[in-house]
Every structure is written in structure tokens, then in C-alpha cells.
Amino acid sequence: MLKGMVLAWVLVWVWALMQGIVFQLRAPEKAFASMVTWFAPMPVAYVLLHLLTPADLGLLPERFVGGAAALSLLNGLALLVLLFLTGVLFYYHADRSITVRLLIEMARAPQQRMSVDQMQAVCGVEVLMHDRLRTMAMNGFLEERGGGYHLAPKGRLGGVAGAIARRVLAMKAL
Amino acid sequence: MKGVTLAAAAFLLLVVGSALALRVYRGNKEFKVFLGAFAAAALGYAAAFPLTPPDLGVLPGGWLEPSAPVDFANGLFILALVFHGFWCFAYFACLSPSMGVMVELRARGARGISAEEAIAMQGREEPVNLIFQRRLPKLIAGGYISKEGGAYRLLPPGERVAALGAFLKRLINADAPLVGSRPC
């Protein structure tokens, strides 16, 4: 099983490195689509590597080697996908966190001080919501027509998931 | 597979436990509920692992991992990754302004929403809108900022978080400090 785990780790770092280079060269408008595109070859590479490499990868201690190869393959594949999703979440943490953005704006402000009006001008609800509506429309969650926004099929699924989660988890919006 | 199976059971209990705990929790530091649930799940997993047979009484012989430490670490690691995903989903689903719009649109049926209405949902008319009402008190309580007169000042811990955040944004090429260019 360790072989699959090691291969999954190596490949997710390869992907993260490649994705970092892609983002540096040109920040894509559709970040998630870009991440999926660049990750897509990794499961294929993983399966090939798992099939073609020795059970100990030439470096694993003997006591950690053994067990069903198919189990190691599937476990590593699941791990690879989970690590990818964690990487995607990392991207959104870094890109979308309102709190972090606010602190960065404060660090850049004269004497590192800001009034609420200044905060609202750079990170307030108008700025935020216009951006989010535009992004959701661009990514196919909303459709813009008749001067307003409507749910696209993908957004309808999101709305159902959100409504269920809000009912089950009962977290307060404030 | 024992580790993964126990991790799956622990995660199920974690979801149920955190959902129940959130119903009775009255504060606004929900992350404590999630972290508490994860700690309990991880401890439960660690306690159950040595106490149960390798096949858990149900797993086929071919599904067993010969190395118990590898099996244990694998299950714990998967539990942590899945918990992180659940935690992020919970915050996104319940607190994200984007999800708020989708949930509101679902409730409205065929009626759409204008940008003005979406903004109003976030309490623009209030002196400190919802986005800040939730965050500023937490940042003050955490020692990241302080309130001085009519303004807020960044404190050293907040400066460190800002520096880390700016570094991460540079890593993903998302650093755009100008107003309106790439809002939060």
C-alpha cells in the first residue's frame, strides 16, 4: 500500500509544481478548469507507474512492502484525488479569503490603518458581490438575462447542496 | 483496508457529531466545533485501531494490508484530508456570499436577482456590512487588529498573516492589490 501512497505524493507534487508554473506564466480566468486540465494526466501516469515499477520502488524497506497490488493501486489513486482536491482548496483559500485580503490591504495602507469606509471601498460588499456574480456567470452557475441573474443548471445543483448543508449544519451567516 | 474502513466510520461519526454540536453551539467560533469533532474522531480512530482485529470481522483476506503502521497512517491521513474537505465545504455552503446567492435564487424560483438585490443581501445599508460584522470582532479578539478611534490598525500578528497571505497569492499569481482588479 505504501508504494501507491508514495507515488500519489510524488505525482501531486509534480502537478502542484506544473500548476504553479502555469499560474505564474498566465493567471487563468477559469482557475478550476485549468487545475483539472493539468491534473488530468496524473491518474494515468499514476496507474502506469504503479504497473511498471517494482513493489518496493527500489527504496522502500522490505517490512512495508507486500499486500495486494490492486489494493495499493486503488488506495493510491484515491489518495491522489484527495490530495488534488486539497490542493484546489488551498488555491481557493489563498485566492478568495476575505479576511486575508483585508489584512493585506491594511498592511499596505498608510500607517497600516484603515477606517471601515476605506475597507468597504477596497474589500466591501459592492466590490465583492460584483466580482462573485461575474465569476459565477462566467463559470456557468448563473445566467444573466433581463437585467438580472438566474440559476443555470449547475447553479441549481449548487443551490440544492447549499440549502441542504445550511439546514443540516445550521451555521449562522453572522 | 482496515485503516480506511475505520476512517470512514470515524468520518461518518464526525459529520453527525459536528452537525448535532452546531445545533446547540451558541457562539460564533464554529471552527472550534469542527476541530473538536475532528480531534474526537481521530482519537476514536486511534483507539479503535489496536483494539479491533485486522479484518474487522468483515474484510476479505485479500484486502488486508500486511503492515499495521502503514495501514494506520494511511487511514489517519485519509481521515484528515476528507475532514479538511468537509470543513471547507461546510464554511462555503453556509457562509459564502456566492452560495448565498444560489440558495436565494433557488428559493425565488423563476424570479431572478439583480446585482443590487444580491448586494443588499449582504447588508450594504448597515454601517458595517455583514462581511465585516463577522470578521472585525474576530480579528480584534485574535489580536490581529485593534480599534483606535474611528479606525482599525494592523498589529504584528496580523502583519505576519498578511505577509503569508501575500506570499501565497504571489505563488498562485493572484496578487492584485488595486481596487476592483481582483476583489476578495
Side-chain angles (χ1 to χ4, degrees), chain A residues 91-138:
Chain A
Y91 171 86
Y92 284 107
H93 279 315
D95 186 47
R96 292 298 169 89
S97 167
I98 299 168
T99 306
V100 169
R101 172 67 187 222
L102 186 58
L103 291 173
I104 291 172
E105 294 295 347
M106 289 186 79
R108 287 169 174 163
Q111 292 155 2
Q112 300 191 327
R113 284 167 62 97
M114 285 177 98
S115 66
V116 170
D117 284 348
Q118 288 170 321
M119 288 178 194
Q120 291 188 169
V122 294
C123 208
V125 67
E126 280 97 346
V127 181
L128 175 93
M129 287 312 297
H130 281 298
D131 176 65
R132 294 287 164 94
L133 290 169
R134 184 188 64 82
T135 308
M136 284 195 288
M138 187 179 71

Side-chain angles (χ1 to χ4, degrees), chain B residues 11-138:
Chain B
F11 177 67
L12 202 65
L13 291 173
L14 182 159
V15 171
V16 174
S18 50
L20 291 175
L22 283 168
R23 292 197 173 275
V24 294
Y25 180 70
R26 290 283 164 261
N28 71 345
K29 292 181 178 174
E30 292 90 352
F31 73 92
K32 289 185 175 177
V33 174
F34 284 102
L35 289 179
F38 175 66
L43 282 175
Y45 170 83
F49 197 93
L51 297 176
T52 47
D55 65 354
L56 295 172
V58 289
L59 296 174
W63 288 23
L64 305 186
E65 162 62 34
S67 168
V70 170
D71 200 10
F72 177 81
N74 180 59
L76 191 60
F77 188 56
I78 286 179
L79 176 64
L81 288 178
V82 175
F83 161 71
H84 178 249
F86 167 65
W87 189 11
C88 292
F89 171 75
Y91 269 81
F92 172 71
C94 296
L95 305 177
S96 155
S98 305
M99 184 59 95
V101 168
M102 287 192 280
V103 171
E104 174 66 17
L105 275 171
R106 181 177 169 269
R108 287 176 175 224
R111 275 191 311 133
I113 194 168
S114 66
E116 284 301 302
E117 288 172 313
I119 291 167
M121 277 171 57
Q122 300 298 322
R124 181 182 56 171
E125 304 308 323
E126 297 176 39
V128 182
N129 63 47
L130 291 183
I131 288 170
F132 297 120
Q133 277 185 46
R134 186 178 176 86
R135 288 170 178 81
L136 291 177
K138 287 184 177 179

Side-chain angles (χ1 to χ4, degrees), chain A residues 59-73:
Chain A
L59 52 93
L60 298 176
E62 203 177 325
R63 66 182 186 281
F64 293 146
V65 177
L71 189 68
S72 169
L73 179 84

